[in-house]
Amino acid sequence: MRAQRQRPYACTMARRVDRLAENLPSWRARAGASTVEGLLFARLAFLQGATAEDLAQCTCDDHVTALLARLGARFHADLGAGSAGTRTLMGVVEEMRALEDVTADSVARVHQRDLERLNRRRAQGSVYTPQPLIDVLLDAACVDGESVLDPACGTGAFLVRLVARASRPLDALERLSAWDTDERAVHWARLLTLMTLASRLKDGRHAALPDISGHIRVADTLLDCAEETFGLVLGNPPYVDSETMTQADPSNRAEIAMRYSVARGNWDLFCVFIERAVQLCRPGGRVALVVPNTLLSAGYARSVRKLLAAKTQVKMVWDCSRSGLFDASVYPVAFVATCGAVHGPTVVRAFPDGPVTTETWPTDGSAWACGAGALVRDWSRFPTLAQVADVRGAATVAEAYLLKPLLQEMDHSEHLKFVNSGTIAQGQLLWGNRRCRYLGRSLLRPVVSPDALRTLFPRRWEQARQPKIMVSGMSRALTCALDPDGAFLAGKSSSVVTST
């Protein structure tokens, strides 16, 4: 990232946005509760020629409205929804000199903050993509001159970098398509892309910017029947697990499952986005995506790995789990695959500049090992875990919801103690020492009556009463603990290993 320069305003972008919102009443009203949209409109107006001299001539609200209409006509946007006032606009233009940090990165972070406030971020699966990772993907994908699709564009981080890096930005924009179901995110993506284009054009203060509403639009990539194919399909699709989808929109999950072959078991939304990306990519084209690292090993992603091995060659994989660029709960990988190519070796690298290995992964959907070393690469000499033990998921999504009312808070020796990924640590179980968070509940000593469990889930009761190893499913490294006496019941997102 570039070094921070001294700015006349030292406050953070978010605080500056909030302060400007107080001075942008008409734009804020037009955009609902959005403070960023008004700011971006103003920034784009500034790039298109709004100067202090222009504003000095605005002696009344009618003059201000006329100026906004003239500027808005240059880039197909309505800036004049009501009276903004001369003082407001002059203040905005002065602020523009300190707003070089209004970028795709900053807008994406504010958008995620808005989604969290509306309790929509988890349901939408929105994950911010850092610029350094976007640039690495674009370098590897060799996109100059290709038609490009971002199937889940969000606020436009990939689009901004495509236009910013293009040798001929107007031509790049003509070849660009971007879709998303979030209408507000699409609007921001258009504005950020126009801002980037305006800053690239030498005559940006005099020429009209293109209407890009047909290129960046509201659409459902998974359910809309697009027939066009592209030379490059790239982006960071949403990460939404089966539990969240089932709870938020079960009919949508069912409809998606009917259309995609990889939608089997407890599939995550990113799985079907990978299949759709391969469908939308022409033979010889490339797919470049950022997805959770569960792609490499999760059971529900087995069909996705099999599809990629059958229909593409995965050329490069970047392990971003230790990069520090993502939130602590997100462990992504990025990959570039060539569609229609023969399956072959894959170069694996720890992002950004870690060690490099070359892996030849199985084609049957088995787990893909990243940088496993010679011992693991020769693992055919050893028996698999399935040959010496029984490995099962602790609970299905449906069982998880039925189990919720059975949980009680007590210390009862005859009851089964309940643990999940948050209370399974390295070599120890944290029952009674760390609160267990489960489907909106928080319990320190959660237990389940063995009689109730045996009645509702006899197979899970038998599993719980055995000596076993319980493995956390939500951790950066392998995290497991032994239950030698069969005294614990493991929850969803964890696995149970028992003797055969």
Side-chain angles (χ1 to χ4, degrees):
M1 299 180 65
R2 64 180 182 178
Q4 287 286 93
R5 294 182 295 170
Q6 291 297 320
R7 303 182 187 280
Y9 296 89
C11 58
T12 65
M13 183 264 179
R15 290 177 182 172
R16 190 178 301 136
V17 167
D18 291 338
R19 189 174 73 246
L20 273 181
E22 300 173 2
N23 298 321
L24 294 170
S26 62
W27 292 335
R28 190 179 186 191
R30 178 180 182 277
S34 170
T35 58
V36 177
E37 284 193 15
L39 185 62
L40 294 180
F41 274 130
R43 176 66 172 164
L44 190 50
F46 179 68
L47 287 169
Q48 283 288 283
T51 66
E53 289 74 19
D54 291 326
L55 298 175
Q57 299 174 16
C58 296
T59 58
C60 66
D61 288 343
D62 289 342
H63 292 168
V64 171
T65 302
L67 172 63
L68 288 174
R70 188 167 74 252
L71 293 169
R74 294 185 185 176
F75 51 92
H76 308 280
D78 177 16
L79 294 181
S83 170
T86 306
R87 182 178 178 184
T88 296
L89 278 177
M90 291 186 70
V92 167
V93 169
E94 289 302 315
E95 284 278 4
M96 289 305 104
R97 306 185 193 284
L99 283 174
E100 294 180 17
D101 54 349
V102 181
T103 62
D105 283 6
S106 56
V107 170
R109 291 189 182 280
V110 172
H111 181 57
Q112 288 195 351
R113 186 186 65 179
D114 289 344
L115 291 179
E116 287 171 352
R117 187 175 65 246
L118 297 171
N119 293 320
R120 288 170 48 200
R121 180 179 176 187
R122 186 180 180 197
Q124 292 187 201
S126 172
V127 176
Y128 152 80
T129 314
Q131 179 182 318
L133 181 57
I134 296 174
D135 287 337
V136 165
L137 279 176
L138 293 179
D139 288 339
C142 303
V143 301
D144 210 15
E146 293 279 9
S147 59
V148 180
L149 169 68
D150 186 337
C153 67
T155 54
F158 282 86
L159 315 181
V160 165
R161 295 306 299 158
L162 279 163
V163 173
R165 291 161 51 104
S167 56
R168 299 169 63 91
L170 280 171
D171 292 344
L173 194 57
E174 282 300 312
R175 295 188 298 268
L176 182 63
S177 297
W179 308 331
D180 203 288
T181 56
D182 186 336
E183 184 175 2
R184 176 169 290 176
V186 166
H187 191 52
W188 289 356
R190 290 172 182 166
L191 288 168
L192 282 165
T193 303
L194 285 175
M195 281 173 54
T196 305
L197 182 64
S199 66
R200 289 290 316 277
L201 297 178
K202 294 180 180 179
D203 58 352
R205 290 180 177 272
H206 307 290
L209 294 178
D211 182 356
I212 61 173
S213 57
H215 293 274
I216 306 173
R217 59 189 178 89
V218 178
D220 190 328
T221 299
L222 298 178
L223 298 180
D224 290 349
C225 298
E227 298 180 359
E228 184 180 2
T229 57
F230 301 84
L232 173 66
V233 182
L234 86 166
N236 187 351
Y239 315 162
V240 186
D241 62 28
S242 58
E243 176 187 329
T244 303
M245 276 188 283
T246 301
Q247 188 174 15
D249 196 345
S251 61
N252 181 254
R253 178 175 169 84
E255 186 175 0
I256 292 172
M258 292 175 60
R259 297 197 183 196
Y260 294 94
S261 63
V262 302
R264 300 293 178 265
N266 292 333
W267 53 276
D268 190 293
L269 194 59
F270 81 85
C271 297
V272 289
F273 264 96
I274 292 176
E275 181 176 353
R276 185 61 171 144
V278 173
Q279 292 174 356
L280 292 168
C281 187
R282 63 168 173 76
R286 295 195 170 187
V287 171
L289 298 176
V290 182
V291 296
N293 65 1
T294 51
L295 167 67
L296 304 177
S297 59
Y300 65 73
R302 183 185 185 97
S303 57
V304 188
R305 295 190 292 272
K306 191 173 181 178
L307 178 140
L308 286 172
K311 296 189 175 183
T312 75
Q313 181 185 1
V314 181
K315 306 284 287 185
M316 286 284 299
V317 169
W318 292 267
D319 179 5
C320 307
S321 59
R322 298 172 186 260
S323 66
L325 292 173
F326 292 87
D327 293 342
S329 60
V330 180
Y331 309 123
V333 295
F335 71 88
V336 173
T338 302
C339 289
V342 178
H343 179 68
T346 299
V347 176
V348 179
R349 181 166 201 162
F351 184 83
D353 53 5
V356 177
T357 61
T358 300
E359 307 286 349
T360 300
W361 286 327
T363 60
D364 62 355
S366 300
W368 293 351
C370 278
L375 177 65
V376 175
R377 281 197 289 272
D378 195 19
W379 56 19
S380 60
R381 297 186 295 124
F382 303 97
T384 64
L385 183 60
Q387 291 174 316
V388 297
D390 184 36
V391 185
R392 298 183 184 275
T396 66
V397 173
E399 288 173 338
Y401 281 96
L402 292 173
L403 181 64
K404 180 180 178 180
L406 301 184
L407 291 178
Q408 306 173 59
E409 174 80 82
M410 65 173 63
D411 192 353
H412 199 299
S413 60
E414 295 182 0
H415 283 46
L416 287 167
K417 300 174 181 179
F418 179 83
V419 292
N420 62 2
S421 288
T423 49
I424 299 174
Q426 291 279 16
Q428 61 179 321
L429 299 170
L430 302 179
W431 186 91
N433 295 311
R434 177 186 295 174
R435 300 194 73 82
C436 173
R437 303 188 185 281
Y438 188 78
L439 298 179
R441 300 183 66 185
S442 176
L443 305 168
L444 184 61
R445 295 180 175 84
V447 297
V448 176
S449 164
D451 293 336
L453 183 67
R454 181 168 30 194
T455 301
L456 193 57
F457 306 118
R459 185 168 62 89
R460 296 299 182 191
W461 177 79
E462 292 177 3
Q463 183 184 72
R465 298 301 296 175
Q466 298 181 58
K468 56 188 173 293
I469 298 172
M470 293 182 288
V471 185
S472 171
M474 304 287 288
S475 56
R476 188 187 297 268
L478 177 63
T479 303
C480 57
L482 177 67
D483 173 23
D485 302 318
F488 288 84
L489 172 68
K492 193 188 79 66
S493 297
S494 57
S495 301
V496 173
V497 182
T498 57
S499 172
T500 55

